[in-house]
């Protein structure tokens, strides 16, 4: 399959806009997948931990509420980028791991890392 470069896609979008063609942005599925305040962060933490439990994720992202973490994990599972494994033990144990589809997002995180190393972002108040 011949995949066009990002520059070719952008040029095509410009041509489509000039011709008033209403075509979907080819990156829209990625934008949709990563849409939301916590999805990219939760996904990163699952990747970093390899096998993550709810409590570990909660400690890694202290500002997220339990409800939002649960919701985000369900969305990421529905999107096919993480897998949830439930062990019917007492107490119940649930683990989250990255799927092959999720692992394919690692280069995206690496590019974001390279960008922030090149253009450091200072937090307010620092």
């Amino acid at each position: 399959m011949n995949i066009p470069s990002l520059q070719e896609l952008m040029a095509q979008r410009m041509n489509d806009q000039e011709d008033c063609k209403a075509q979907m942005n080819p990156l829209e599925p990625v934008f949709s997948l990563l849409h939301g305040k916590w999805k990219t962060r939760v996904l990163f933490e699952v990747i970093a931990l390899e096998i993550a439990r709810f409590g570990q994720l909660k400690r890694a992202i202290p500002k997220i509420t339990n409800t939002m973490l649960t919701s985000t994990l369900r969305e990421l599972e529905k999107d096919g980028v993480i897998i949830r494994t439930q062990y019917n033990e007492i107490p119940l144990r649930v683990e989250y791991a990255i799927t092959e589809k999720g692992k394919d997002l690692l280069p995206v995180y690496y590019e974001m890392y390279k960008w922030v190393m090149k253009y450091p972002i200072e937090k307010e108040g620092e």
Side-chain angles (χ1 to χ4, degrees), residues 4-122:
S5 72
L6 184 57
Q7 288 81 8
E8 291 170 329
L9 289 173
M10 298 299 282
Q12 181 62 45
R13 288 287 294 160
M14 291 301 293
N15 289 336
D16 291 345
Q17 287 177 354
E18 289 172 9
D19 295 338
C20 296
K21 293 179 187 173
Q23 288 190 350
M24 186 181 87
N25 180 330
L27 294 176
E28 191 60 40
V30 178
F31 298 150
S32 179
L33 175 87
L34 298 176
H35 176 76
K37 181 175 180 178
W38 297 106
K39 285 178 99 173
T40 53
R41 176 69 189 272
V42 170
L43 183 57
F44 176 82
E45 296 298 341
V46 172
I47 291 169
L49 292 166
E50 293 183 13
I51 295 176
R53 296 183 64 185
F54 189 91
Q56 289 175 302
L57 293 169
K58 186 72 174 100
R59 284 188 298 278
I61 314 167
K63 292 185 180 180
I64 194 169
T65 65
N66 289 349
T67 303
M68 185 55 71
L69 179 55
T70 299
S71 172
T72 302
L73 288 165
R74 285 183 182 151
E75 288 177 28
L76 290 169
E77 183 182 14
K78 183 179 73 85
D79 294 335
V81 292
I82 65 169
I83 187 165
R84 179 184 187 271
T85 304
Q86 179 174 312
Y87 298 92
N88 293 323
E89 304 170 345
I90 298 177
L92 182 67
R93 179 170 56 113
V94 176
E95 295 177 342
Y96 299 91
I98 195 75
T99 64
E100 286 302 314
K101 181 179 177 181
K103 285 179 185 175
D104 284 345
L105 288 169
L106 281 171
V108 175
Y109 281 97
Y110 182 63
E111 290 301 318
M112 288 190 293
Y113 168 75
K114 287 186 341 188
W115 184 87
V116 82
M117 297 283 58
K118 187 174 181 178
Y119 306 104
I121 300 170
E122 291 187 29

